[in-house]
Amino acid sequence: MRCLTTAIKHVLAVAGLFCFMMLLACCGNRVAGTFTSGEIWKDNNGVHINAHGGGILTLSDTYYWFGEHKTEGRSGNSAQVGVHCYSSQDLYQWKDEGIALSVVADDTTHSITKGCILERPKVIYNKKNNQYVMWFHLEPKGEGYSGAMSGIAISDRPTGPYTFVKAIRPNAGYWPINVLETHKSGIFPQESQRFSGGDLPAHPDTLNLLGRDMPGGQMARDMNLFVDDDGTAYHIYASEENSTLHISQLDEDYTGCSGKYARFFVNRFMEAPTMFKKDGNYYLIMSGCTGWAPNAGRSAVAPSVWGPWEELENPFKGEDSDLSFHSQSTYVLPVPGTTHRFIYMGDRWTPENAIDGRYIWLPLRIEGKQPVIEWLPEWSYETTE
Ligand code: GAL
């Protein structure tokens, strides 16, 4: 009898363990060890990851994912909380590290006051002074998208808290290295001559948007950061009313502009830029400019950050490639342990209920010189070429 009771106890214990394992595996509607684009991705607390328009900071064996903390409803597209940080050792399981940069609730005049627009935060590490530096697209509260500024914050720990440093329009007082004579000698429109977004009434050079903004700094909306192998860091941003992409070298502290920058893809309205490097070539994955609605992806390659940049094809291949699989680029990360395979990271925005936005992470490979991204409903980087 005692034997039977012990056996039943054993069976129950094994069954209990099995149920517990199943629960763990099902946590987040995904099996541990795969990416399931477009599904709910739960963190260690069982909460959908809240890090939109994000990027990854890689530090030896740990990945830190920083992104916009969105809240419910349409108002959740503006910054009610700040920048959220998660950490992971394998890119599949994410630990909530809390809010790395908080918006300011008790000062309505502060640059990052609650309700401002704070988008696409990215963090890089500066070896020189052992500092973590965050840049983000900042729109002062109540001014729509007219501010087109860059915010900068620093911390001595990767997870923060980050201290807000300043909000700027990049490269005030500097001409880009590929400035045209007509920018310098041509008509300088008034600061008041601004456009409400979307198409421009004429070519950006005819309007001399560069000259208009040269004294006070260039417009900077969708943005990313890239640190090259030699430690030089770059800020890549949609400028000149979104019409033209600027690539700008940061200063040695990474907290300001060096004044060296160049303009590319003039009048191509490139948004959501993300830069990466393979075999000495620089690549950009970008989108067109249709707000929260997805559009066909863009890609480009160059032998140097300073160009010449050659625009390539839409990197998305197959059904729904004209909508980038209902996503917009935010980051490209080398597959752990490799330098020739990459993970495309994009956002599937849900502007009506901002917090419900989903993550589209897919394998990115280079064929010849063309980046290629194909849809896979579930995959792991360990087993997918
Ligand atoms: C997108 C941009 C997002 C956000 C949105 C607002 O084009 O990539 O970061 O700014 O527009 O409509």
Side-chain angles (χ1 to χ4, degrees), residues 81 170 176 217 295 302 333:
V81 176
N295 52 54
L333 182 74

Side-chain angles (χ1 to χ4, degrees), residues 341-385:
R341 293 194 293 129
F342 299 87
I343 302 174
Y344 160 82
M345 300 179 179
D347 292 284
R348 184 173 288 176
W349 305 113
T350 53
E352 299 304 326
N353 186 21
I355 195 171
D356 194 33
R358 305 297 171 89
Y359 309 105
I360 307 298
W361 289 18
L362 293 167
L364 184 159
R365 61 178 190 276
I366 309 285
E367 282 183 3
K369 59 182 179 182
Q370 175 64 55
V372 174
I373 305 165
E374 284 168 318
W375 176 258
L376 281 178
E378 183 167 11
W379 67 286
S380 3
Y381 55 78
E382 293 93 340
T383 54
T384 308
E385 258 313 300

Side-chain angles (χ1 to χ4, degrees), residues 12-302:
L12 286 177
V14 169
L17 189 66
F18 178 73
C19 289
F20 179 63
M21 298 296 281
M22 286 302 286
L23 197 72
L24 275 186
C26 294
C27 173
N29 292 345
R30 64 190 185 118
V31 180
T34 62
F35 299 119
T36 51
S37 292
E39 302 295 325
I40 292 283
W41 286 14
K42 290 191 175 171
D43 66 10
N44 60 314
N45 298 318
V47 177
H48 182 43
I49 292 173
N50 200 340
H52 310 268
I56 305 284
L57 168 73
T58 307
L59 291 178
S60 57
D61 61 346
T62 305
Y63 300 95
Y64 295 91
W65 178 357
F66 296 87
E68 303 159 29
H69 179 106
K70 304 261 195 190
T71 54
E72 282 179 12
R74 216 170 220 289
S75 62
N77 291 303
S78 60
Q80 306 297 324
V81 176
V83 176
H84 209 132
C85 176
Y86 297 83
S87 67
S88 174
Q89 267 72 48
D90 61 6
L91 297 172
Y92 301 119
Q93 327 267 345
W94 291 95
K95 176 173 179 247
D96 185 359
E97 298 282 358
I99 301 303
L101 174 71
S102 298
V103 294
V104 176
D106 57 2
D107 178 359
T108 54
T109 64
H110 198 285
S111 295
I112 58 164
T113 192
K114 187 176 172 186
C116 67
I117 292 173
L118 194 168
E119 293 180 339
R120 299 186 175 274
K122 302 290 177 295
V123 173
I124 53 179
Y125 172 62
N126 192 329
K127 281 189 207 127
K128 203 193 88 186
N129 48 15
N130 199 22
Q131 210 165 49
Y132 299 88
V133 185
M134 181 189 290
W135 283 63
F136 49 89
H137 168 199
L138 176 66
E139 299 288 349
K141 187 179 178 183
E143 294 176 26
Y145 277 87
S146 62
M149 303 184 85
S150 303
I152 300 138
I154 52 169
S155 176
D156 53 13
R157 284 159 31 99
T159 51
Y162 284 75
T163 306
F164 178 75
V165 179
K166 59 186 170 184
I168 58 160
R169 276 283 190 89
N171 293 307
Y174 290 94
W175 290 114
I177 55 174
N178 57 354
V179 64
L180 302 173
E181 264 321 299
T182 50
H183 287 130
K184 291 183 173 175
S185 57
I187 298 165
F188 285 76
Q190 297 305 303
E191 171 64 16
S192 60
Q193 194 182 346
R194 300 220 153 265
F195 305 95
S196 55
D199 289 344
L200 289 171
H203 190 279
D205 288 337
T206 313
L207 297 167
N208 200 357
L209 303 178
L210 184 79
R212 179 196 67 188
D213 292 336
M214 189 270 206
Q218 298 296 326
M219 297 178 90
R221 291 203 183 107
D222 277 13
M223 57 141 277
N224 223 311
L225 299 177
F226 173 76
V227 183
D228 209 344
D229 305 326
D230 65 358
T232 310
Y234 300 90
H235 180 209
I236 304 137
Y237 54 89
S239 195
E240 302 179 42
E241 307 281 355
N242 288 343
S243 70
T244 302
L245 195 76
H246 288 189
I247 299 180
S248 165
Q249 187 173 320
L250 298 187
D251 63 19
E252 288 201 346
D253 288 343
Y254 298 173
T255 52
C257 307
S258 68
K260 181 177 181 185
Y261 72 111
R263 47 202 298 272
F264 299 103
F265 312 107
V266 176
N267 208 26
R268 281 290 287 144
F269 288 83
M270 299 291 198
E271 277 204 321
T274 172
M275 189 185 280
F276 60 101
K277 191 176 180 182
K278 178 180 176 279
D279 297 334
N281 282 320
Y282 298 79
Y283 291 88
L284 280 166
I285 303 291
M286 300 159 285
S287 74
C289 189
T290 53
W292 300 119
N295 52 54
R298 315 257 180 99
S299 65
V301 65

